[in-house]
Amino acid sequence: MLDILSSRPDVWGEIRLVASARSAGKVLQVRGEDVEVKALSPGVFDGVDVAMFDVPDEVSADWAPVAAARGAVAVDNSGAFRMDPDVPLVVPEVNPEAVRERPKGIIANPNCTTLTMMAALGALHRRWRLTQLVVASYQAASGAGRPGIDRLRAELGVVAADETLGSSAGDVRRAVAAALDDGAEDRFPFGAPLAMNVVPFAGSLKDDGWTSEELKVRNESRKILGIPDLKVSATCVRVPVVTTHSLAVHATFASTLTADEARAELAAQPTVVVLDEPEKGVYPTPADVVGEDPTYVGRIRQALDFPDTLDLFVSGDNLRKGAALNTAEIAELVAAELTGG
Ligand code: 11C
């Protein structure tokens, strides 16, 4: 967030940094200046126009209303308010007008898995009307925060040191558990080893075998796109990538569209990059997209047996567009509104 605020057009006056009491007094750099972190308290929001929250759900649930009551517009990156009917859920490329309908003074930023495909799907929906969405995600370890990154790196270190691993059932599981968890095989933060593996589980377990991530993809896509009855089915999978989520998308539209038409429409979007020359090995991969702001799309195909359906592959940096960048973009829309733009 600090990096993004420092590199985007500077529309801000004072930037106040706020954190828990444990971090108060630390000095961090933003816009090239040293700024001392203040401890979270109601008074820190006095005089603030826009408060960007990047904290756990329960902290946002308590404090975003406090910021709003003190006169700030809260832009919240947690899951606390996303499905509240009085809180808009905004992706500036898709529903920028929604920022102005905020009766609670709170605007929500979507989940990074949903966000990764929204700029592309929003553009296709505007032209061909989306009716069904089936996706599989390929989610990076940083979706689970810094501990997730540290864990993946530690596991990669373990498996890199033994070239016999990956040849018999359970050998990676046993080696990682022995090296990192005192041999316990029930402590994997990702549910199973992530190095040399993929894990078909992200988030927490909800009813009927669905995960919280899969339900967020369904509910948030419907709300952002404004299609309450959109048929959605998602399988969320964690992959051994540090940062950048990807999705394989199978999207059905109200009318027939060709891959060329979709490619041209996507290429015309300012925040979408089409990388789609498979004959030359050109398609998005997370390792090539990390650190970038746009959504990258490739492998665009008209589904062979479904002429109204596209298959495509999308990659986007989950920490930038998937989180801090979209939050900053929403905040900039509010700043423009407040300054008469
Ligand atoms: C993950 N998408 O990759 C999650 C992280 O609802 O904001 C973000 C969770 C959220 O683990």
Side-chain angles (χ1 to χ4, degrees), residues 69-135:
R70 297 251 163 181
V73 176
V75 183
D76 179 35
N77 188 31
S78 84
F81 297 99
R82 288 179 188 146
M83 297 316 297
D84 183 328
D86 290 328
V87 173
L89 182 62
V90 176
V91 180
E93 292 93 327
V94 182
N95 60 345
E97 67 293 340
V99 293
R100 291 178 183 252
E101 298 150 28
R102 43 168 199 267
K104 292 189 170 168
I106 300 171
I107 302 169
N109 191 58
N111 169 278
C112 47
T113 313
T114 314
L115 254 176
T116 297
M117 60 183 171
M118 274 303 118
L121 282 180
L124 296 172
H125 172 57
R126 265 195 301 277
R127 175 112 179 248
W128 288 284
R129 207 158 71 73
L130 184 66
T131 58
Q132 295 183 35
L133 187 58
V134 180
V135 302

Side-chain angles (χ1 to χ4, degrees), residues 203-265:
S204 55
L205 192 60
K206 301 293 181 191
D207 289 348
D208 299 324
W210 294 99
T211 68
S212 55
E213 284 287 297
E214 290 157 354
L215 298 179
K216 287 176 187 179
V217 166
R218 177 170 180 257
N219 296 332
E220 295 181 20
S221 296
R222 289 174 161 186
K223 184 167 176 179
I224 297 160
L225 294 165
I227 321 173
D229 59 351
L230 180 67
K231 293 183 177 169
V232 184
S233 200
T235 300
C236 288
V237 179
R238 192 76 65 184
V239 296
V241 166
V242 173
T243 294
T244 292
H245 286 359
S246 303
L247 295 108
V249 177
H250 181 85
T252 301
F253 296 87
S255 49
T256 299
L257 73 172
T258 66
D260 279 344
E261 287 171 329
R263 223 172 265 125
E265 188 66 30

Side-chain angles (χ1 to χ4, degrees), residues 140-159:
S142 60
R146 192 172 294 277
I149 299 176
D150 293 345
R151 175 70 188 202
L152 174 57
R153 290 198 188 283
E155 291 188 7
L156 290 172
V158 172
V159 299

